Amino acid sequence: MSEYILEMHQITKEFTGVKALSNVNFKVEKGEIHCLIGENGAGKSTLMKVLSGVYPYGKYKGDIVFNGSIQQFNKINDSVDAGIAIIYQELALFPDLAVYENIFIGNEVENRGVLDWNQTIIESQKMLDKVNLKVNPETLIKDLGVGKQQLIEIAKALSKEVKLLILDEPTAALNEDDSENLLRLLRELKSQGITCIMISHKLKEVISIADKATVLRDGETICTLDASKGEINESIIIKNMVGREINAIYPKRENKIFGDKILELTNWCAYDAQLGRQVSKDVNLHVKQGEIIGLAGLMGSGRTELALSIFGNPKSYKLQGDLKLHGKSRQFKHTSEAMKAGIAYVTEDRKGDGLFLIQDIKSNISVANMKGISSNGIINVNEEIIVGEKYRKSMGIKASSLEQVVGNLSGGNQQKVSLGKWLFVNPNLLILDEPTRGIDVGAKFEIYTVMNKLISDGMSIIMISSELGEILGMSDRVYVMAKSEIKGVLTSEEASQEKIMQLATQ
Ligand SMILES: Nc1ncnc2c1ncn2[C@@H]1O[C@H](COP(=O)(O)OP(=O)(O)OP(=O)(O)O)[C@@H](O)[C@H]1O
Ligand SMILES: [Mg+2]
């Protein structure tokens, strides 16, 4: 008989107006890697928050049996003490503190009652080694990209005595290599007896790593699939997740017609004075009307920096070279000038600079284009609702109402709001930085369909993505970056996973 480390019985959790979980049953065997999957808003993160005491005992219905006994966690520390570590979807590190301080915060290394920082640094180095991350423990968190920050979250979890490790979309922000690393790490931890629950929208990795996979849909348990019975494959997963079959992940685009060059960069250089280094080197690139350009590369290859240097240069890089928009050389002093000229940029970090989390959906969608909902300088509240409703429908944003605070939306739905906001600006050139990070397969398809429609309406898109499948599936041409340079450009016919990786690792 197998032994369950965790049994969640009949869990129901309601927020005002939203039933996030309804009689959910979820059982995890000791030592297995169990994936929790389902569409955006299905209730995955909520279920894990119930388990970890974020929503304390009494704020949900049902029972949690962990390690053989019924648990009533009143706060997060209770679940930590029981041996449960959870890494949230939205990272929770302190940007102004060093790596080692973040790893051991609340769990400091003491020597006779005194904090021992030297020992803390040594210990954190060990944790960093465990997650194969090569950074100096004294680096500040804010100087690291989101991908590295994710690994630090995991290092932090490992610094405690953990029996059950919960990861909410751990690889969403990681490139293929780092994701592979992480999956290897999870297998290693499994061999040490650590049980793991992983939430992921990346079916490929679910298939490669899961012993079991439980599917949630609309707050209910649909089924638990078992790899040893051959049940964990793409078609079974998708069918159970969305309740229907999806034939193609990337929608076909008819009649590709490209117009004039919208954007052209010539010998474009950007120098970051703060970091004291070149972040874009001699970039030559163009985008035509009606074209989707894929910008591929490993994390840190300079893709986001390039996007920022085009989008009004908010980081105040020293720029050199020529930027032409519609054939005219332009210099933007501010993002507002770039926006006026028809450029929009959907950031990869929706929490940091994409959204106003304490505001509702409709005001987040209208915020970048107040003119669009005003007449004679006065905001028309009804118009704001109409616009919000339009994007809620077309993007399939799942929420109880337009008044729902964005911070309470599921991760994927936040991403859709962020995209809706920029679509409402109606740009000519849309720069998407990791547009489908954290988005479920069904919604990905919807977003790709939206992209195709925008293109056929004459827009141009630059799509930065670490998912090679998406780059290959959506781009007309692919520029590959490494070390702040363009290492090559491939047509959609030429492009392949191997060729891109080869250029990206130059
Ligand atoms: N604090 C909250 N207040 C109100 N509603 C909430 C709150 N937290 C979550 N919800 C709602 O509960 C539902 C489930 O959300 P949850 O975050 O668990 O989804 P998820 O499966 O993790 O989705 P994703 O894949 O997008 O991260 C959603 O409809 C969400 O809007
Ligand atoms: Mg979630």
Coordinates of all heavy atoms in Angstrom, one line a residue, residues 274-360:
Q274 N 25.0 52.8 -15.2 CA 25.0 52.2 -13.8 C 25.7 50.9 -13.7 O 26.5 50.7 -12.8 CB 23.5 52.0 -13.4 CG 23.2 52.8 -12.2 CD 21.7 52.7 -11.9 OE1 20.9 52.0 -12.6 NE2 21.3 53.3 -10.8
L275 N 25.5 50.0 -14.7 CA 26.2 48.7 -14.7 C 27.6 48.8 -15.3 O 28.4 47.9 -15.1 CB 25.4 47.7 -15.5 CG 24.0 47.3 -15.0 CD1 23.3 46.3 -15.9 CD2 24.1 46.7 -13.6
G276 N 27.8 50.0 -16.0 CA 29.1 50.1 -16.6 C 29.3 49.2 -17.7 O 30.5 48.7 -18.0
R277 N 28.3 48.8 -18.5 CA 28.5 48.0 -19.6 C 27.5 48.2 -20.7 O 26.4 48.8 -20.5 CB 28.5 46.5 -19.2 CG 27.2 46.0 -18.8 CD 27.3 44.5 -18.4 NE 26.0 44.0 -18.0 CZ 25.1 43.5 -18.8 NH1 25.3 43.5 -20.2 NH2 23.9 43.1 -18.4
Q278 N 27.9 47.8 -21.9 CA 27.0 47.9 -23.1 C 25.9 46.8 -23.0 O 26.1 45.7 -22.8 CB 27.9 47.5 -24.3 CG 27.6 48.1 -25.6 CD 27.9 49.5 -25.7 OE1 28.8 50.0 -25.1 NE2 27.1 50.2 -26.5
V279 N 24.6 47.3 -23.1 CA 23.5 46.3 -23.0 C 22.9 46.0 -24.4 O 22.3 45.0 -24.6 CB 22.4 46.8 -22.1 CG1 22.8 46.7 -20.6 CG2 21.9 48.2 -22.4
S280 N 23.2 46.8 -25.4 CA 22.9 46.5 -26.8 C 24.1 46.9 -27.6 O 24.7 48.0 -27.5 CB 21.7 47.3 -27.3 OG 20.6 46.9 -26.7
K281 N 24.6 45.9 -28.5 CA 25.8 46.2 -29.2 C 25.5 46.1 -30.7 O 25.1 45.0 -31.2 CB 26.9 45.2 -28.9 CG 27.7 45.5 -27.6 CD 28.8 44.5 -27.5 CE 28.9 44.0 -26.1 NZ 29.6 42.7 -25.9
D282 N 25.7 47.2 -31.4 CA 25.6 47.2 -32.9 C 24.4 46.3 -33.4 O 24.5 45.5 -34.3 CB 26.9 46.6 -33.5 CG 27.9 47.7 -33.6 OD1 27.5 48.8 -33.9 OD2 29.1 47.4 -33.4
V283 N 23.2 46.6 -32.9 CA 22.0 45.9 -33.3 C 21.5 46.4 -34.6 O 21.3 47.6 -34.8 CB 21.0 45.9 -32.2 CG1 19.6 45.4 -32.7 CG2 21.4 45.2 -31.0
N284 N 21.4 45.5 -35.6 CA 20.7 45.9 -36.9 C 19.4 45.0 -37.0 O 19.6 43.8 -36.9 CB 21.6 45.6 -38.1 CG 22.7 46.6 -38.1 OD1 22.5 47.8 -38.2 ND2 24.0 46.1 -37.9
L285 N 18.3 45.6 -37.0 CA 17.1 44.9 -37.0 C 15.9 45.7 -37.6 O 15.9 46.9 -37.6 CB 16.8 44.6 -35.5 CG 15.5 44.1 -35.0 CD1 15.7 43.3 -33.7 CD2 14.5 45.2 -34.7
H286 N 15.0 45.0 -38.3 CA 13.9 45.8 -38.8 C 12.6 44.9 -38.6 O 12.7 43.7 -38.5 CB 14.0 46.2 -40.2 CG 14.0 45.1 -41.2 ND1 15.1 44.5 -41.7 CD2 12.9 44.5 -41.8 CE1 14.8 43.5 -42.5 NE2 13.5 43.5 -42.6
V287 N 11.5 45.6 -38.6 CA 10.2 44.9 -38.5 C 9.3 45.6 -39.5 O 9.2 46.8 -39.6 CB 9.5 45.2 -37.1 CG1 8.3 44.3 -36.9 CG2 10.5 45.0 -36.0
K288 N 8.6 44.7 -40.3 CA 7.7 45.3 -41.3 C 6.3 45.3 -40.8 O 6.0 44.6 -39.8 CB 7.8 44.4 -42.6 CG 9.1 44.6 -43.3 CD 9.0 43.8 -44.6 CE 10.3 44.0 -45.4 NZ 10.5 42.9 -46.3
Q289 N 5.5 46.1 -41.5 CA 4.1 46.1 -41.1 C 3.5 44.7 -41.4 O 3.8 44.0 -42.4 CB 3.3 47.1 -42.0 CG 1.9 47.2 -41.5 CD 1.1 48.1 -42.4 OE1 1.4 48.2 -43.6 NE2 0.0 48.7 -41.8
G290 N 2.7 44.2 -40.4 CA 2.1 42.9 -40.6 C 3.1 41.7 -40.3 O 2.8 40.6 -40.6
E291 N 4.2 42.0 -39.6 CA 5.2 41.0 -39.3 C 5.3 40.7 -37.8 O 5.2 41.6 -37.0 CB 6.5 41.5 -39.8 CG 7.5 40.3 -40.2 CD 8.8 40.8 -40.7 OE1 9.2 42.0 -40.5 OE2 9.5 40.0 -41.4
I292 N 5.5 39.4 -37.5 CA 5.8 39.1 -36.1 C 7.3 38.7 -36.1 O 7.7 37.7 -36.8 CB 4.9 37.9 -35.6 CG1 3.5 38.3 -35.6 CG2 5.4 37.5 -34.2 CD1 2.6 37.1 -35.1
I293 N 8.0 39.5 -35.3 CA 9.4 39.2 -35.2 C 9.6 38.5 -33.8 O 9.1 38.9 -32.8 CB 10.2 40.5 -35.1 CG1 10.2 41.2 -36.5 CG2 11.6 40.3 -34.6 CD1 10.9 40.3 -37.5
G294 N 10.3 37.3 -33.9 CA 10.6 36.7 -32.6 C 12.0 37.1 -32.1 O 12.9 37.2 -33.0
L295 N 12.1 37.4 -30.9 CA 13.4 37.8 -30.3 C 13.8 36.7 -29.3 O 13.2 36.6 -28.2 CB 13.3 39.2 -29.7 CG 14.6 40.0 -29.5 CD1 15.4 40.1 -30.8 CD2 14.3 41.4 -29.0
A296 N 14.7 35.8 -29.8 CA 15.0 34.6 -29.0 C 16.4 34.9 -28.3 O 17.1 35.8 -28.7 CB 15.1 33.4 -29.8
G297 N 16.7 34.1 -27.3 CA 18.0 34.2 -26.6 C 17.8 33.7 -25.2 O 16.7 33.6 -24.7
L298 N 18.9 33.5 -24.6 CA 18.9 33.0 -23.2 C 18.6 34.2 -22.3 O 18.7 35.3 -22.7 CB 20.2 32.4 -22.8 CG 20.7 31.2 -23.7 CD1 22.0 30.7 -23.2 CD2 19.6 30.1 -23.6
M299 N 18.3 33.8 -21.0 CA 18.1 34.9 -20.1 C 19.4 35.7 -20.0 O 20.5 35.2 -20.0 CB 17.8 34.3 -18.7 CG 16.8 35.0 -17.9 SD 16.5 34.4 -16.3 CE 17.3 32.8 -16.4
G300 N 19.2 37.0 -19.9 CA 20.4 37.9 -19.8 C 21.1 38.2 -21.1 O 22.1 38.8 -21.1
S301 N 20.5 37.8 -22.2 CA 21.1 38.0 -23.5 C 20.9 39.4 -24.0 O 21.5 39.8 -25.0 CB 20.6 37.0 -24.5 OG 19.2 37.1 -24.7
G302 N 20.0 40.2 -23.3 CA 19.9 41.6 -23.7 C 18.6 41.9 -24.4 O 18.4 43.0 -25.0
R303 N 17.6 40.9 -24.4 CA 16.4 41.2 -25.2 C 15.5 42.2 -24.5 O 15.1 43.1 -25.2 CB 15.6 39.8 -25.2 CG 16.3 38.8 -26.0 CD 15.7 37.4 -25.8 NE 15.6 37.1 -24.4 CZ 14.9 36.1 -23.9 NH1 14.2 35.3 -24.7 NH2 15.0 35.9 -22.6
T304 N 15.3 42.2 -23.2 CA 14.5 43.2 -22.5 C 15.2 44.5 -22.6 O 14.5 45.5 -22.8 CB 14.3 42.7 -21.1 OG1 13.5 41.5 -21.1 CG2 13.5 43.8 -20.3
E305 N 16.5 44.6 -22.4 CA 17.2 45.8 -22.5 C 17.0 46.5 -23.9 O 16.8 47.7 -24.0 CB 18.7 45.6 -22.2 CG 19.0 45.3 -20.8 CD 18.8 43.8 -20.4 OE1 18.3 43.1 -21.3 OE2 19.2 43.5 -19.3
L306 N 17.1 45.7 -24.9 CA 16.9 46.2 -26.3 C 15.4 46.8 -26.4 O 15.3 47.9 -26.9 CB 17.1 45.1 -27.3 CG 16.9 45.5 -28.8 CD1 17.8 46.6 -29.2 CD2 17.0 44.3 -29.7
A307 N 14.5 46.0 -25.9 CA 13.1 46.5 -26.0 C 13.0 47.8 -25.2 O 12.3 48.8 -25.7 CB 12.2 45.5 -25.3
L308 N 13.6 47.9 -24.1 CA 13.5 49.2 -23.3 C 14.1 50.3 -24.0 O 13.6 51.5 -24.0 CB 14.1 49.0 -21.9 CG 13.3 48.1 -20.9 CD1 14.1 47.9 -19.7 CD2 11.9 48.7 -20.6
S309 N 15.3 50.0 -24.7 CA 16.0 51.1 -25.4 C 15.1 51.7 -26.5 O 15.2 52.8 -26.9 CB 17.3 50.6 -25.9 OG 17.2 49.8 -27.0
I310 N 14.3 50.8 -27.1 CA 13.4 51.3 -28.2 C 12.2 52.0 -27.6 O 11.7 53.0 -28.1 CB 12.8 50.0 -29.0 CG1 14.0 49.3 -29.6 CG2 11.8 50.5 -30.0 CD1 13.6 47.9 -30.2
F311 N 11.7 51.5 -26.4 CA 10.4 52.0 -25.9 C 10.7 53.3 -25.0 O 10.5 53.3 -23.8 CB 9.7 50.9 -25.1 CG 8.4 51.3 -24.5 CD1 7.4 51.8 -25.3 CD2 8.2 51.3 -23.1 CE1 6.2 52.1 -24.8 CE2 6.9 51.7 -22.6 CZ 5.9 52.1 -23.5
G312 N 11.4 54.3 -25.5 CA 11.5 55.5 -24.8 C 12.6 55.5 -23.8 O 12.8 56.5 -23.0
N313 N 13.4 54.5 -23.7 CA 14.6 54.4 -22.9 C 14.4 54.8 -21.4 O 15.1 55.7 -20.9 CB 15.7 55.3 -23.5 CG 17.0 55.1 -23.0 OD1 17.3 54.1 -22.4 ND2 17.9 56.1 -23.2
P314 N 13.5 54.1 -20.7 CA 13.2 54.5 -19.3 C 14.4 54.3 -18.4 O 14.5 54.8 -17.3 CB 12.1 53.5 -18.9 CG 12.2 52.4 -19.9 CD 12.7 53.0 -21.2
K315 N 15.4 53.5 -18.8 CA 16.5 53.2 -17.9 C 17.7 54.2 -18.2 O 18.8 54.1 -17.7 CB 17.0 51.8 -18.1 CG 16.1 50.7 -17.6 CD 16.4 50.2 -16.2 CE 15.4 49.4 -15.6 NZ 15.4 48.0 -15.9
S316 N 17.4 55.2 -19.1 CA 18.4 56.2 -19.4 C 19.7 55.6 -19.9 O 20.8 56.0 -19.4 CB 18.6 57.2 -18.3 OG 17.4 57.7 -17.8
Y317 N 19.7 54.7 -20.8 CA 20.9 54.2 -21.4 C 21.5 55.3 -22.2 O 20.8 56.1 -22.7 CB 20.7 52.9 -22.2 CG 20.0 51.8 -21.6 CD1 19.0 51.0 -22.2 CD2 20.5 51.4 -20.3 CE1 18.4 49.9 -21.6 CE2 19.9 50.2 -19.7 CZ 18.9 49.6 -20.3 OH 18.3 48.5 -19.7
K318 N 22.8 55.2 -22.5 CA 23.4 56.1 -23.4 C 23.2 55.4 -24.8 O 23.7 54.3 -25.0 CB 24.9 56.3 -23.2 CG 25.2 57.6 -22.6 CD 26.7 57.9 -22.6 CE 27.1 58.6 -21.3 NZ 28.3 58.1 -20.8
L319 N 22.5 56.1 -25.7 CA 22.2 55.5 -27.0 C 23.0 56.0 -28.1 O 23.4 57.1 -28.1 CB 20.7 55.7 -27.3 CG 19.7 55.2 -26.3 CD1 18.2 55.6 -26.7 CD2 19.8 53.7 -26.1
Q320 N 23.3 55.1 -29.0 CA 24.0 55.4 -30.2 C 23.4 54.7 -31.4 O 22.8 53.6 -31.2 CB 25.5 55.0 -30.1 CG 26.4 56.1 -29.8 CD 27.8 55.6 -29.7 OE1 28.2 54.6 -30.3 NE2 28.7 56.2 -28.9
G321 N 23.6 55.2 -32.6 CA 23.0 54.5 -33.8 C 21.7 55.2 -34.2 O 21.3 56.2 -33.6
D322 N 21.0 54.5 -35.1 CA 19.8 55.1 -35.6 C 18.6 54.3 -35.4 O 18.6 53.1 -35.6 CB 20.1 55.3 -37.1 CG 18.9 56.1 -37.8 OD1 18.5 57.1 -37.2 OD2 18.5 55.7 -38.9
L323 N 17.5 55.0 -35.0 CA 16.2 54.3 -34.8 C 15.3 55.0 -35.8 O 15.0 56.2 -35.7 CB 15.7 54.4 -33.4 CG 14.4 53.8 -33.0 CD1 14.3 53.5 -31.5 CD2 13.2 54.6 -33.4
K324 N 14.8 54.2 -36.8 CA 13.8 54.8 -37.7 C 12.4 54.2 -37.4 O 12.3 53.0 -37.3 CB 14.2 54.5 -39.1 CG 15.2 55.4 -39.7 CD 15.2 55.3 -41.2 CE 16.2 56.3 -41.9 NZ 17.6 55.8 -41.6
L325 N 11.4 55.1 -37.4 CA 10.0 54.7 -37.2 C 9.3 55.2 -38.5 O 9.4 56.4 -38.8 CB 9.4 55.2 -35.9 CG 8.3 54.5 -35.3 CD1 8.7 53.1 -34.9 CD2 7.7 55.2 -34.2
H326 N 8.7 54.3 -39.2 CA 8.0 54.7 -40.5 C 9.0 55.5 -41.4 O 8.6 56.5 -42.0 CB 6.8 55.6 -40.2 CG 5.8 54.9 -39.3 ND1 4.9 53.9 -39.8 CD2 5.5 55.0 -38.0 CE1 4.2 53.5 -38.8 NE2 4.5 54.1 -37.7
G327 N 10.3 55.0 -41.4 CA 11.3 55.7 -42.3 C 11.9 56.9 -41.8 O 12.8 57.5 -42.4
K328 N 11.5 57.4 -40.6 CA 12.0 58.7 -40.1 C 12.9 58.4 -38.8 O 12.4 57.7 -37.9 CB 10.9 59.6 -39.7 CG 10.6 60.7 -40.7 CD 9.9 61.8 -40.0 CE 8.6 62.2 -40.6 NZ 7.5 62.5 -39.8
S329 N 14.1 59.0 -38.8 CA 14.9 58.9 -37.6 C 14.2 59.5 -36.4 O 13.7 60.7 -36.5 CB 16.3 59.5 -37.8 OG 17.0 58.8 -38.7
R330 N 14.2 58.8 -35.3 CA 13.6 59.4 -34.1 C 14.4 59.2 -32.9 O 15.3 58.3 -32.8 CB 12.2 58.6 -33.8 CG 11.2 58.7 -34.9 CD 10.6 60.0 -35.1 NE 10.0 60.6 -33.9 CZ 8.7 60.5 -33.7 NH1 7.8 60.0 -34.6 NH2 8.2 61.0 -32.6
Q331 N 14.3 60.1 -32.0 CA 14.9 60.0 -30.6 C 13.9 60.2 -29.6 O 13.3 61.3 -29.5 CB 16.0 61.0 -30.5 CG 17.3 60.7 -31.2 CD 18.3 61.7 -31.1 OE1 18.1 62.9 -30.8 NE2 19.6 61.3 -31.3
F332 N 13.6 59.2 -28.8 CA 12.6 59.4 -27.7 C 13.3 59.7 -26.4 O 14.2 59.0 -26.0 CB 11.7 58.1 -27.6 CG 11.1 57.7 -28.8 CD1 11.3 56.4 -29.4 CD2 10.2 58.6 -29.5 CE1 10.6 56.0 -30.5 CE2 9.6 58.2 -30.7 CZ 9.8 56.9 -31.2
K333 N 12.8 60.7 -25.7 CA 13.4 61.1 -24.5 C 12.7 60.4 -23.3 O 13.1 60.4 -22.2 CB 13.4 62.6 -24.3 CG 14.4 63.3 -25.1 CD 14.6 64.7 -24.7 CE 15.2 65.6 -25.9 NZ 14.2 65.7 -27.0
H334 N 11.5 59.9 -23.6 CA 10.6 59.4 -22.5 C 9.7 58.3 -23.1 O 9.4 58.4 -24.3 CB 9.8 60.6 -22.0 CG 9.2 60.3 -20.7 ND1 7.9 59.8 -20.5 CD2 9.7 60.4 -19.4 CE1 7.6 59.6 -19.3 NE2 8.7 59.9 -18.5
T335 N 9.2 57.4 -22.3 CA 8.3 56.4 -22.8 C 7.0 57.0 -23.4 O 6.5 56.5 -24.3 CB 7.9 55.4 -21.7 OG1 7.4 56.1 -20.6 CG2 9.1 54.5 -21.3
S336 N 6.6 58.1 -22.8 CA 5.4 58.8 -23.3 C 5.6 59.2 -24.8 O 4.6 59.1 -25.5 CB 5.0 60.0 -22.4 OG 6.0 60.9 -22.5
E337 N 6.8 59.6 -25.1 CA 7.0 59.9 -26.5 C 7.0 58.7 -27.4 O 6.4 58.8 -28.5 CB 8.4 60.6 -26.7 CG 8.4 62.0 -26.0 CD 9.8 62.7 -26.2 OE1 10.6 62.2 -27.0 OE2 10.0 63.7 -25.5
A338 N 7.5 57.6 -26.9 CA 7.4 56.4 -27.7 C 6.0 55.9 -27.9 O 5.6 55.5 -29.0 CB 8.3 55.3 -27.1
M339 N 5.2 56.1 -26.8 CA 3.8 55.7 -26.9 C 3.1 56.6 -27.9 O 2.3 56.1 -28.7 CB 3.1 55.8 -25.5 CG 3.4 54.6 -24.6 SD 3.1 55.0 -22.9 CE 1.3 55.3 -22.9
K340 N 3.3 57.9 -27.8 CA 2.7 58.8 -28.8 C 3.0 58.4 -30.2 O 2.2 58.5 -31.1 CB 3.2 60.2 -28.5 CG 2.0 61.1 -28.2 CD 2.5 62.6 -28.2 CE 2.1 63.2 -26.9 NZ 2.9 64.3 -26.5
A341 N 4.2 57.9 -30.4 CA 4.6 57.5 -31.8 C 4.1 56.2 -32.2 O 4.3 55.7 -33.3 CB 6.2 57.5 -31.8
G342 N 3.3 55.5 -31.2 CA 2.7 54.3 -31.6 C 3.4 53.0 -31.2 O 3.1 51.9 -31.7
I343 N 4.2 53.1 -30.2 CA 4.9 51.9 -29.7 C 4.3 51.5 -28.3 O 4.0 52.4 -27.5 CB 6.4 52.1 -29.5 CG1 7.0 52.6 -30.8 CG2 7.1 50.8 -29.0 CD1 8.5 52.9 -30.7
A344 N 4.1 50.2 -28.1 CA 3.6 49.8 -26.8 C 4.5 48.6 -26.4 O 5.0 47.9 -27.2 CB 2.2 49.3 -26.9
Y345 N 4.7 48.5 -25.1 CA 5.6 47.5 -24.6 C 4.9 46.8 -23.4 O 4.6 47.4 -22.4 CB 6.9 48.1 -24.1 CG 7.8 47.2 -23.3 CD1 8.3 46.0 -23.9 CD2 8.2 47.4 -22.0 CE1 9.2 45.2 -23.2 CE2 9.0 46.6 -21.3 CZ 9.5 45.5 -21.9 OH 10.3 44.6 -21.2
V346 N 4.6 45.5 -23.5 CA 4.0 44.7 -22.5 C 5.1 44.0 -21.7 O 5.8 43.1 -22.2 CB 3.0 43.7 -23.0 CG1 2.4 42.9 -21.9 CG2 2.0 44.3 -23.9
T347 N 5.3 44.5 -20.5 CA 6.5 44.0 -19.7 C 6.5 42.6 -19.3 O 5.4 42.0 -19.2 CB 6.7 44.9 -18.5 OG1 7.4 44.2 -17.5 CG2 5.4 45.3 -17.9
E348 N 7.6 42.0 -19.1 CA 7.7 40.6 -18.6 C 7.4 40.5 -17.1 O 7.0 39.5 -16.6 CB 9.1 40.0 -18.8 CG 10.2 40.7 -18.1 CD 11.6 40.0 -18.2 OE1 11.6 38.8 -18.4 OE2 12.5 40.7 -18.2
D349 N 7.6 41.7 -16.4 CA 7.4 41.7 -15.0 C 6.1 42.4 -14.6 O 6.1 43.6 -14.3 CB 8.6 42.4 -14.3 CG 8.5 42.5 -12.8 OD1 7.6 41.8 -12.3 OD2 9.3 43.1 -12.2
R350 N 5.0 41.7 -14.7 CA 3.7 42.4 -14.6 C 3.5 42.9 -13.2 O 2.8 43.9 -13.0 CB 2.6 41.5 -15.0 CG 2.5 40.2 -14.2 CD 1.3 39.4 -14.5 NE 1.4 38.1 -13.8 CZ 1.7 37.0 -14.3 NH1 2.0 36.9 -15.6 NH2 1.8 35.9 -13.6
K351 N 4.1 42.3 -12.2 CA 3.9 42.7 -10.8 C 4.7 44.0 -10.6 O 4.2 44.9 -10.0 CB 4.4 41.6 -9.9 CG 3.9 41.8 -8.5 CD 4.4 40.7 -7.6 CE 3.9 40.9 -6.2 NZ 4.6 40.1 -5.2
G352 N 5.9 44.0 -11.1 CA 6.8 45.2 -10.8 C 6.4 46.4 -11.6 O 6.2 47.5 -10.9
D353 N 6.2 46.3 -12.9 CA 5.8 47.6 -13.6 C 4.7 47.5 -14.6 O 4.5 48.3 -15.4 CB 7.1 48.3 -14.2 CG 8.0 47.3 -14.8 OD1 7.5 46.3 -15.4 OD2 9.2 47.4 -14.7
G354 N 4.0 46.4 -14.5 CA 2.9 46.2 -15.5 C 1.6 46.7 -15.0 O 0.9 47.3 -15.7
L355 N 1.3 46.4 -13.8 CA -0.1 46.6 -13.3 C -0.2 47.4 -12.0 O 0.8 47.3 -11.2 CB -0.8 45.3 -13.1 CG -1.0 44.4 -14.4 CD1 -1.5 43.0 -14.0 CD2 -2.0 45.1 -15.3
F356 N -1.3 48.0 -11.8 CA -1.6 48.6 -10.5 C -2.4 47.6 -9.7 O -3.6 47.4 -9.9 CB -2.3 49.9 -10.6 CG -1.5 51.0 -11.3 CD1 -1.7 51.3 -12.6 CD2 -0.5 51.6 -10.6 CE1 -1.0 52.2 -13.3 CE2 0.3 52.6 -11.2 CZ 0.1 52.9 -12.6
L357 N -1.7 46.8 -8.8 CA -2.4 45.6 -8.2 C -3.6 46.0 -7.3 O -4.4 45.2 -7.1 CB -1.4 44.8 -7.5 CG -0.3 44.2 -8.4 CD1 0.7 43.4 -7.6 CD2 -0.9 43.2 -9.4
I358 N -3.5 47.2 -6.7 CA -4.6 47.5 -5.8 C -5.8 48.1 -6.5 O -6.8 48.5 -5.9 CB -4.2 48.4 -4.6 CG1 -3.5 49.6 -5.1 CG2 -3.3 47.6 -3.7 CD1 -3.4 50.7 -4.1
Q359 N -5.7 48.3 -7.8 CA -6.8 48.9 -8.6 C -7.6 47.8 -9.3 O -7.1 46.7 -9.5 CB -6.2 49.9 -9.6 CG -5.3 50.9 -9.0 CD -5.8 52.3 -9.3 OE1 -6.9 52.5 -9.8 NE2 -4.9 53.3 -9.0
D360 N -8.8 48.2 -9.8 CA -9.6 47.2 -10.4 C -9.2 47.0 -11.9 O -8.4 47.6 -12.4 CB -11.1 47.5 -10.2 CG -11.5 48.7 -10.9 OD1 -10.8 49.3 -11.7 OD2 -12.7 49.2 -10.6

